[in-house]
Amino acid sequence: MSKLPDFEALAIFAKVVELRSFAAAAAELALSKATVSKAVSRLEQRLGARLFNRTSRRLALTDAGQKLAGHAARLLADGEAVENEALSQSSAPRGLVRLAVPMTFGVKAVAPLLPEFLAAYPEVSIDLHLSDATVDLIGDGFDAGLRIARLPDSSLIARRLCAMPRYTVAAPSYLKRHGRPTHPMHLAQHKCFGYTYLSTPNLWHYTNAAGEEASVRPAGQLRVNNGEALLPSVVAGLGIADLPDFIIGDAIASGEVEVILKGWKQPEGAVHLVTPPGGPRPARVEVLAEFLAKKFLKGKGRG
């Protein structure tokens, strides 16, 4: 005997009992009459007892069948209730979404959007996890995450939401004291601050319009695991940093820092929504994905 009960046969048996007919049960379950008959026979063989006394005109439960009928009916009802609840959850946006987002991007760009989303979907709750470390969506039980990078190949399902340019910047006071680099290789003679969670944190890659490539290892007094923590030291004129637009954009606009190496670009990343693989996403995750896609496409990911 297998370890698991034959739930399918029990459910079919309950439906035959309910309708008092193999043919009627087959029609309601969209099965052939032979399939229904085989399921009941399989159950009888498994239990070692006849469940029905069958004649050409009449179908009657045996003593064993009567004892089993109530349990089978409850099993069928419970199964239908569980399935209906699951279908309801998947078709209507309700329930909890666990969302993992980089720290500063979450505070500056995602959190301000949540009041509108929560008001629009009052039955959806958000558990917002903020960390610049790359979380294990599957292992840590997250429904979705936002990642700002050039994504490596993985089993995760990724949807690109918007571009996220990066800029190499320095304060005017730093450039006045130390000069303005005009080629990436000049950075080797400058104080460059590092960010731990870049895909290659110890190497900055650049290309120009002519297709020339250059790579440099930044070296300076400061290394952080949150990009926004570099801002005070950069604005104070203590070094050069390479940061995404959502962190450095306002400081560029205000003139607190200047973009250097304008003829050179680092590989541009993007904001991606990533979800675990398998099956259709629940409605609560789908509506959040569509909401964020619309907002970031419109706002280009700026906080």
Side-chain angles (χ1 to χ4, degrees):
M1 179 181 294
S2 63
K3 294 181 179 180
L4 286 175
D6 191 340
F7 292 110
E8 181 184 48
L10 286 165
I12 290 173
F13 166 72
K15 186 59 68 174
V16 173
V17 173
E18 176 189 339
L19 300 177
R20 295 291 176 175
S21 166
F22 277 72
E28 181 158 325
L29 297 172
L31 299 172
S32 69
K33 186 177 177 182
T35 298
V36 171
S37 180
K38 286 178 182 178
V40 173
S41 297
R42 188 172 72 240
L43 189 59
E44 289 176 329
Q45 183 176 5
R46 181 184 179 101
L47 299 176
R50 182 181 293 275
L51 299 175
F52 292 105
N53 287 318
R54 307 174 222 187
T55 68
S56 59
R57 291 186 172 184
R58 191 165 176 269
L59 185 67
L61 286 167
T62 63
D63 288 342
Q66 288 176 349
K67 291 177 182 178
L68 183 62
H71 297 294
R74 284 192 295 274
L75 179 67
L76 176 60
D78 288 344
E80 290 174 339
V82 168
E83 187 173 83
N84 288 336
E85 182 177 354
L87 287 171
S88 175
Q89 288 286 346
S90 64
S91 61
R94 64 167 60 93
L96 177 67
V97 179
R98 298 194 68 227
L99 178 67
V101 182
M103 176 70 73
T104 301
F105 190 74
V107 172
K108 294 171 67 72
V110 177
L113 300 177
L114 293 184
E116 181 180 346
F117 176 82
L118 295 173
Y121 299 98
E123 295 189 68
V124 177
S125 302
I126 303 292
D127 180 356
L128 184 63
H129 176 86
L130 299 174
S131 173
D132 285 347
T134 301
V135 301
D136 180 354
L137 289 190
I138 299 171
D140 294 335
F142 286 98
D143 296 293
L146 294 181
R147 293 189 177 167
I148 305 170
R150 289 172 296 142
L151 292 183
D153 291 337
S154 76
S155 62
L156 299 175
I157 299 170
R159 176 177 180 178
R160 189 180 187 276
L161 301 184
C162 65
M164 182 52 65
R166 302 184 64 85
Y167 302 104
T168 305
V169 298
S173 60
Y174 177 91
L175 297 174
K176 184 176 181 180
R177 289 195 308 273
H178 301 285
R180 181 183 296 270
T182 58
H183 191 283
M185 301 312 294
H186 296 165
L187 294 176
Q189 284 77 51
H190 286 266
K191 299 175 181 179
C192 298
F193 298 148
Y195 174 57
T196 306
Y197 290 128
L198 285 176
S199 57
T200 54
N202 297 316
L203 202 62
W204 294 356
H205 299 280
Y206 293 89
T207 58
N208 64 14
E212 183 184 355
E213 297 183 1
S215 296
V216 62
R217 294 187 181 276
Q221 294 173 280
L222 184 61
R223 181 181 174 92
V224 302
N225 66 356
N226 175 267
E228 192 173 24
L230 292 177
L231 273 179
S233 296
V234 176
V235 171
L238 299 179
I240 294 172
D242 183 77
L243 293 166
D245 180 69
F246 70 90
I247 290 179
I248 203 64
D250 290 341
I252 293 172
S254 69
E256 292 177 289
V257 300
E258 297 179 18
V259 178
I260 61 174
L261 301 175
K262 289 187 177 181
W264 296 82
K265 290 185 178 182
Q266 290 224 50
E268 185 173 280
V271 181
H272 294 87
L273 177 84
V274 292
T275 53
R281 291 187 297 216
R284 63 185 185 276
V285 177
E286 192 64 35
V287 293
L288 179 60
E290 291 302 320
F291 177 84
L292 293 176
K294 178 187 289 186
K295 292 296 181 181
F296 289 140
L297 181 62
K298 180 180 179 180
K300 305 300 182 185
R302 288 294 303 276

